[in-house]
Amino acid sequence: MSPQQDPYGDAESLFRAAYRDMTRTAYALLGNRADTEDATQNSFHRLMMAWRRVAGLPTARQQRAYLLRIVTNEALQILRYPHRKWERSIGDAVEQESSQRSPDENVHAREYLRLVWTAISELPGVRQEVVVLHAAGYEYEEIAAQLGIRISTVRSHISDARQQLSQAVRRDWEGAQE
Amino acid sequence: MSRGISADGPENVLDWLYEQGKQRGERLPEFDVEKTLSRARAARDAGAVNFWSVLSPTERRAFESAARVQTFPAGTTLMREGEQAGEVIVIFDGWTKVCLDDDGQDRVIAERGPGDLVGERGTVPGNVRSATVIAVDTVRALVMTTTDYATFVSEHPGVPDLVKKQIYDRLIDRPAPSGPGA
């Protein structure tokens, strides 16, 4: 499949073209169907609101990257909030992978993941996009193609992000335990 | 990975997320773009697009930093008809009923849930509450004083129109007309 190069002329065409990557990313972050639906549906609304700006982007790839950022924000919003949706999504994920642990440890794991995602949402610009796609299970080559950057750039963003995240998370985690 | 996430240390959390993302990608359910689009259009046409979802990430952050998180147990009154308005509330979790006093009886006129802004008419100085809002189940919300809300609105000039539109939609109590070009 060779993705379109000329910018999309209307929001729906762009949305359709990016839909699969949007759902894959949102599902990787959220882990359940209902939240993924919410995140993509809200993204359409946000895209409509931002359309004038998105329409002015010079390439289709930049438009798709912008939309991916919108859906990521919507998904992070659902993840970051200590409300039911968050409990459901992160809760499922943690409990599936840690059923032998005590409830107390699960609460800790949930809180920990929330800190991680908050730290990710604070990474600057393209680094955040790289990390989100990596966390969504995309390979380096796919991320490079998706964002129109070199594989070596992807690698260095991930390695720098690893440092940044570990510092931010360690700081916030220790702060929260005191 | 059988050990605890946090026990593995923050250096490896990205690897853990990648593995999880990959596994989820392999069992990605079918999503239908036409369904998503028609739901999004229906929500817009019904005026059901809520306050929180129209704020940009920057606006959300600004709102969060000026507000406090508060939990209201089921049955609690968030605001009462006739009282002086001092706060606006954005609901994050749980549902509320909006009631009017009808000869001593509470008459439910609306429900407000996640993403909805309640008490926005109280943002006009000196206004009193036009309705009573009661938590139906446990409600978690962001609460902001009307003074801070006025500052928030003045710093984010895109917000008032949205809220005015929401108020208008509610006053006429019927689906919002589609905007120009919609």
Side-chain angles (χ1 to χ4, degrees):
Chain A
M1 190 183 89
S2 79
Q4 177 174 338
Q5 292 306 307
D6 291 336
Y8 293 90
D10 68 285
E12 288 197 9
S13 309
L14 168 61
F15 190 82
R16 286 200 174 88
Y19 188 71
R20 179 155 170 93
D21 283 324
M22 290 170 68
T23 52
R24 183 174 158 190
T25 307
Y27 188 77
L29 267 66
L30 298 165
N32 73 73
R33 193 189 181 88
D35 284 341
T36 305
E37 274 287 353
D38 280 359
T40 45
Q41 194 180 312
N42 287 346
S43 300
F44 180 70
H45 188 66
R46 293 219 57 80
L47 177 66
M48 296 298 286
M49 308 249 311
W51 180 247
R52 199 181 295 223
R53 188 172 165 191
V54 180
L57 293 172
T59 66
R61 187 151 56 198
Q62 277 167 284
Q63 290 182 320
R64 283 195 299 269
Y66 191 98
L67 186 49
L68 209 59
R69 201 174 171 82
I70 291 180
V71 77
T72 304
N73 272 322
E74 292 303 321
L76 290 181
Q77 193 66 37
I78 293 172
L79 274 180
R80 278 180 55 217
Y81 261 90
H83 74 328
R84 184 173 52 217
K85 283 184 178 165
W86 183 80
E87 293 277 329
R88 188 169 75 210
S89 48
I90 286 278
D92 291 352
V94 171
E95 271 141 33
Q96 269 172 23
E97 277 122 7
S98 64
S99 48
Q100 297 92 341
R101 277 185 277 151
S102 70
D104 198 40
E105 278 176 295
N106 279 333
V107 170
H108 275 240
R110 270 204 285 267
E111 183 55 26
Y112 188 78
L113 273 187
R114 198 167 74 78
L115 285 180
V116 173
W117 278 111
T118 304
I120 290 175
S121 74
E122 283 160 4
L123 292 173
V126 75
R127 179 162 304 166
Q128 184 188 134
E129 286 158 31
V130 168
V131 169
V132 166
L133 287 172
H134 182 62
Y138 284 76
E139 306 297 339
Y140 288 5
E141 298 76 33
E142 292 176 287
I143 300 173
Q146 185 91 252
L147 301 175
I149 56 179
R150 291 166 194 275
I151 295 180
S152 58
T153 311
V154 172
R155 198 169 285 126
S156 74
H157 274 306
I158 287 178
S159 134
D160 290 350
R162 217 178 272 281
Q163 294 275 325
Q164 277 176 295
L165 290 178
S166 89
Q167 276 170 19
V169 169
R170 205 184 289 278
R171 181 194 65 216
D172 295 344
W173 181 246
E174 280 161 12
Q177 300 305 297
E178 273 158 19
Chain B
M1 200 174 287
S2 58
R3 293 162 64 206
I5 304 161
S6 48
D8 283 343
E11 292 79 7
N12 300 323
V13 75
L14 212 47
D15 300 328
W16 188 88
L17 286 172
Y18 167 74
E19 287 301 327
Q20 176 188 265
K22 229 171 106 168
Q23 282 167 22
R24 288 178 175 177
E26 282 158 13
R27 54 180 168 85
L28 183 70
E30 286 282 315
F31 289 98
D32 182 347
V33 65
E34 299 309 326
K35 272 188 197 153
T36 305
L37 281 170
S38 69
R39 267 192 218 113
R41 286 189 211 107
R44 182 194 58 197
D45 293 346
V49 172
N50 66 39
F51 175 76
W52 197 251
S53 71
V54 299
L55 295 189
S56 71
T58 317
E59 288 162 350
R60 288 175 186 172
R61 244 164 245 166
F63 194 100
E64 286 164 38
S65 64
R68 65 173 196 278
V69 178
Q70 195 173 333
T71 303
F72 300 91
T76 320
T77 302
L78 281 71
M79 51 189 69
R80 191 179 296 282
E81 188 178 347
E83 277 181 1
Q84 194 74 30
E87 287 162 339
V88 294
I89 296 176
V90 174
I91 299 171
F92 268 99
D93 187 27
W95 284 86
T96 62
K97 53 181 182 181
V98 181
C99 313
L100 287 180
D101 180 48
D102 189 1
D103 261 346
Q105 294 274 330
D106 275 346
R107 186 163 56 90
V108 178
I109 55 162
E111 289 175 333
R112 297 285 178 256
D116 285 327
L117 176 74
V118 291
E120 72 275 15
R121 277 205 268 183
T123 55
V124 180
N127 255 14
V128 294
R129 298 296 187 198
S130 56
T132 298
V133 180
I134 298 167
V136 175
D137 46 17
T138 303
V139 169
R140 299 193 62 166
L142 286 172
V143 180
M144 191 189 274
T145 66
T146 50
T147 318
D148 288 339
Y149 186 74
T151 310
F152 169 75
V153 164
S154 70
E155 285 169 358
H156 300 90
V159 175
D161 285 345
L162 298 172
V163 178
K164 269 181 224 147
K165 185 178 175 306
Q166 189 178 30
I167 294 172
Y168 173 75
D169 291 346
R170 286 180 186 178
L171 286 179
I172 59 174
D173 196 30
R174 59 182 154 84
S178 306

